[in-house]
Amino acid sequence: MTKPVIAITMGDASGIGPEIIMKALAREDVRALCRPLVVGDAGRLREAGLLVGSTLQLRARATPGEAEYAPGTAEVIDLGLIPPGHPFGTLSPLSGEAAYRYIERATRLVEAGEADAICTAPLSKEALHAAGHKYPGHTELLAHLTGTPEVSMMLVAPKLRVIHVTTHIGLIDAIRRIEPGLVERVIARGRATLVKAGIAEPRIGVCGINPHAGENGLFGQGEEEKKIIPAVQACQGRGWDVTGPLPADTLFFRAARGDFDLVVAMYHDQGHGPVKVMGLEAGVNITIGLPVVRTSVDHGTAFDIAGKGIADEGSLVEALRQAAELAPRR
């Protein structure tokens, strides 16, 4: 079976993306998983290679068909958008525009069958906005590029998987947006992903919104009864192993212990906090519901350490592993 081609977007050129890519592509375990194809800027990657002491030889390509994936080399679809000496560690509209273009090109490559999955290095939302692209993040941008009306974010860390009902909106807006149909669709997307990954009957725990999942109406204004319970009952009616709403504080502990295969979080920080405590360096972000496979590191651009050659590539390696496992086989 041919190893999948994973299109790795370089992310924000002013952040740590170029450095962690050069570190990851030097690893034999990554080469054993896939054929890595960077979509970015060869010049910037060479600068990052010097920072991290890489001996990889960059091969700038116009199309994926030109790539050879020879040992000791890194294949790059070179968009040539970043000038030499562009500063690391500072917010830049130029880097924001380039990050958008990398994602756009990678998406088209997968849609055309020239790559099998996308793995994204981090971008800066502020830089993206400064470049005129008003998206909250990668997830929403990819949904726009693929014409997908609704997607979900799944975070994977050692011993924990979390899918979110809402993500990049304020807490008050998130509570307003949560409704039974949305909760049910998110549960269904998460379950389908785990079934595809080989878990025949996923055990799914659903968080409440309020402390103690409302404690039978003691806390909140009946959000659990109105917004979550009907969705859980509908999923149970399909014969799925879905439990909830449960208090989030104990549900995450139980999931990490092995009682559940997936946790359904209601809002951004409810899900992100536990995942990042469990393993920021090894966390992976997966967009669920797209027509293309997309995984990502679960950390930001780290402008404070960018350009120093010290960024850890662990999350990117795990994201590549997940992309290779989820990618369709040729």
Side-chain angles (χ1 to χ4, degrees):
M1 185 179 294
T2 305
K3 288 183 289 188
V5 175
I6 308 299
I8 307 169
T9 58
M10 201 176 78
D12 191 296
S14 300
I16 62 173
E19 297 166 67
I20 61 175
I21 287 172
M22 293 303 290
K23 286 185 174 183
L25 296 193
R27 293 177 49 153
E28 290 300 322
D29 54 344
V30 169
R31 297 290 182 149
L33 288 169
C34 63
R35 290 177 288 169
L37 177 68
V38 184
V39 180
D41 273 72
R44 189 56 156 187
L45 289 166
R46 289 191 182 97
E47 292 175 348
L50 292 174
L51 290 171
V52 303
S54 174
T55 60
L56 289 174
Q57 297 298 308
L58 272 293
R59 297 287 184 260
R61 310 293 190 183
T63 67
E66 299 173 6
E68 298 175 352
Y69 305 103
T73 67
E75 301 285 355
V76 188
I77 300 296
D78 185 16
L79 272 61
L81 300 173
I82 303 299
H86 187 62
F88 282 95
T90 58
L91 184 75
S92 164
L94 175 61
S95 294
E97 177 64 28
Y100 175 87
R101 297 300 169 192
Y102 305 149
I103 288 289
E104 183 180 49
R105 177 65 65 86
T107 301
R108 303 308 172 219
L109 291 178
V110 176
E111 289 178 334
E114 295 181 281
D116 301 301
I118 299 171
C119 180
T120 57
L123 55 70
S124 163
K125 298 176 182 66
E126 191 174 353
L128 191 69
H129 288 196
H133 303 291
K134 305 298 184 180
Y135 301 97
H138 270 121
T139 302
E140 296 82 3
L141 171 53
L142 282 158
H144 168 75
L145 289 172
T146 59
T148 306
E150 188 175 276
V151 296
S152 298
M153 176 188 293
M154 181 185 290
L155 300 182
V156 179
K159 300 183 180 180
L160 190 62
R161 301 181 191 90
V162 182
I163 193 167
H164 293 68
V165 174
T166 66
T167 49
H168 295 121
I169 57 175
L171 182 56
I172 292 173
D173 295 328
I175 294 171
R176 288 197 192 104
R177 183 172 297 182
I178 296 166
E179 51 87 18
L182 175 59
V183 175
E184 184 178 351
R185 292 193 300 275
V186 170
I187 293 171
R189 277 193 287 270
R191 184 181 186 278
T193 299
L194 295 193
V195 170
K196 186 181 296 184
I199 302 174
E201 294 295 336
R203 300 161 299 161
I204 300 172
V206 181
C207 291
I209 294 173
N210 294 296
H212 299 220
E215 198 153 316
N216 298 317
L218 183 61
F219 304 120
Q221 299 178 15
E223 288 86 358
E224 281 74 17
E225 289 76 12
K226 292 182 288 188
K227 295 172 176 287
I228 302 175
I229 289 176
V232 170
Q233 290 174 339
C235 292
Q236 291 170 340
R238 301 190 199 184
W240 298 351
D241 188 347
V242 179
T243 306
L246 298 171
D249 52 0
T250 54
L251 173 52
F252 283 103
F253 168 78
R254 292 179 60 193
R257 187 177 64 184
D259 293 354
F260 296 97
D261 300 301
L262 179 66
V263 172
V264 180
M266 291 296 125
Y267 51 89
H268 183 282
D269 285 12
Q270 187 181 58
H272 276 61
V275 169
K276 294 192 176 185
V277 169
M278 292 292 293
L280 180 61
E281 296 82 5
V284 177
N285 181 330
I286 305 173
T287 306
I288 306 299
L290 293 171
V292 299
V293 171
R294 178 260 174 166
T295 67
S296 178
V297 296
D298 186 30
H299 58 71
T301 53
F303 284 152
D304 57 326
I305 61 169
K308 299 179 181 180
I310 60 174
D312 188 283
E313 78 278 14
S315 182
L316 179 60
V317 172
E318 290 302 315
L320 285 166
R321 189 185 315 281
Q322 293 284 346
E325 290 180 0
L326 294 171
R329 292 298 186 263
R330 302 189 185 207

